[in-house]
Amino acid sequence: MSGSDPRKVQLLMALRNQGVRDLAVLEAIEKTPRELFVEKAFADQSYADTALPISCGQTISQPFVVAFMTDRLNLDKRCKVLEIGTGSGYQTAILSPLCRRVYTIERYRTLSLAAQERFRKLKLPNITPLVADGSKGWPQQAPFDRIIVTAAAKEMPQVLCEQLAVGGIMVVPIEERAGVQNLVRVIRTETGFETENLLPVRFVPLVEGLARES
Ligand code: SAH
């Protein structure tokens, strides 16, 4: 672990202690400048382990949650990945070096365009962004080896389950009841779907339809 920034080193150690096992995930966190993804006013908190506000009333996820979700996806370089909720693009940037291609959908054009600018700046070559309602998935590109949803669904999104390849993995936050969300992992088998609760989380809601922007 190289680490000129002591706050980053501390964050990486905390992630390891909290069960992020995949060294490639930790390396991606180490190499990705989170300060590029947060609002200027919060730059000094870039390596604090907290979610932060971004524009359009959304949030950039907490580094632990990003690392944990990525870890539990069991990625390899052959994977074709679908992400729902581009937001700042930070999670996308972490996925990028760990897989073949990331298809990422965001319902706010403003957020998608800002994220695309960051992908260009960081020279991340394997990201395909789309402004659309991600709750419908991306049927033209399906099936996906992995799906990651970074906004909370009200129930298990069947449409997304169906876009998972056999053997594929999805991690998705599901709102069990008001204010209570669980991160759920779904594995598609030859015969159906296996699900497992991973951890309580707090995400902004998955909202259907494109966002209206002024
Ligand atoms: N992964 C992001 C987290 C952003 S918060 C990051 O690291 O910054 C979740 C994002 O999901 C928000 O930007 C929100 O606009 C988006 N979102 C919510 N519902 C959506 C939907 N149906 N389709 C696409 N994006 C959606």
Side-chain angles (χ1 to χ4, degrees):
M1 212 185 281
S2 80
S4 38
D5 185 341
R7 290 168 303 183
K8 198 185 251 193
V9 175
Q10 204 173 25
L11 174 65
L12 288 162
M13 286 187 358
L15 299 182
R16 275 181 82 141
N17 290 338
Q18 290 173 95
V20 179
R21 296 181 279 237
D22 187 340
L23 291 178
V25 173
L26 292 168
E27 190 184 341
I29 298 270
E30 184 186 359
K31 290 191 171 154
T32 305
R34 192 164 181 262
E35 62 273 21
L36 277 191
F37 295 83
V38 307
E39 303 275 310
K40 278 205 180 69
F42 297 103
D44 61 332
Q45 292 180 54
S46 299
Y47 296 100
D49 194 12
T50 52
L52 294 168
I54 57 176
S55 58
C56 306
Q58 305 303 313
T59 53
I60 173 171
S61 307
Q62 179 191 354
F64 166 66
V65 174
V66 171
F68 186 84
M69 289 174 88
T70 312
D71 189 88
R72 294 309 186 264
L73 279 176
N74 293 1
L75 288 167
D76 69 58
K77 290 291 273 184
R78 289 162 301 184
C79 286
K80 179 178 178 183
V81 181
L82 173 66
E83 178 191 31
I84 311 299
T86 314
S88 68
Y90 179 67
Q91 171 75 74
T92 327
I94 297 297
L95 294 166
S96 165
L98 303 172
C99 66
R100 181 156 55 89
R101 179 154 290 275
V102 192
Y103 296 83
T104 184
I105 308 180
E106 171 55 55
R107 62 189 288 277
Y108 282 98
R109 181 173 302 278
T110 307
L111 288 176
S112 180
L113 292 177
Q116 290 176 43
E117 187 54 41
R118 296 177 180 120
F119 304 150
R120 265 193 294 277
K121 214 180 246 178
L122 293 173
K123 300 192 167 56
L124 301 175
N126 59 342
I127 298 172
T128 307
L130 179 70
V131 178
D133 175 5
S135 63
K136 298 185 171 57
W138 197 328
Q140 300 85 345
Q141 290 295 344
F144 296 95
D145 303 305
R146 303 290 185 266
I147 299 179
I148 177 169
V149 185
T150 69
K154 287 243 179 292
E155 55 198 35
M156 183 55 75
Q158 292 307 326
V159 178
L160 299 182
C161 288
E162 292 305 328
Q163 292 183 22
L164 208 49
V166 172
I169 303 174
M170 170 163 72
V171 288
V172 52
I174 309 272
E175 186 160 276
E176 311 267 315
R177 57 196 144 85
V180 179
Q181 299 174 7
N182 246 311
L183 188 63
V184 179
R185 178 155 99 150
V186 180
I187 299 179
R188 183 165 201 174
T189 65
E190 294 280 356
T191 50
F193 298 92
E194 286 170 6
T195 63
E196 172 193 7
N197 278 358
L198 297 179
L199 160 111
V201 284
R202 242 192 132 78
F203 277 91
V204 296
L206 185 71
V207 180
E208 291 196 6
L210 267 182
R212 288 196 157 181
E213 298 179 69
S214 48

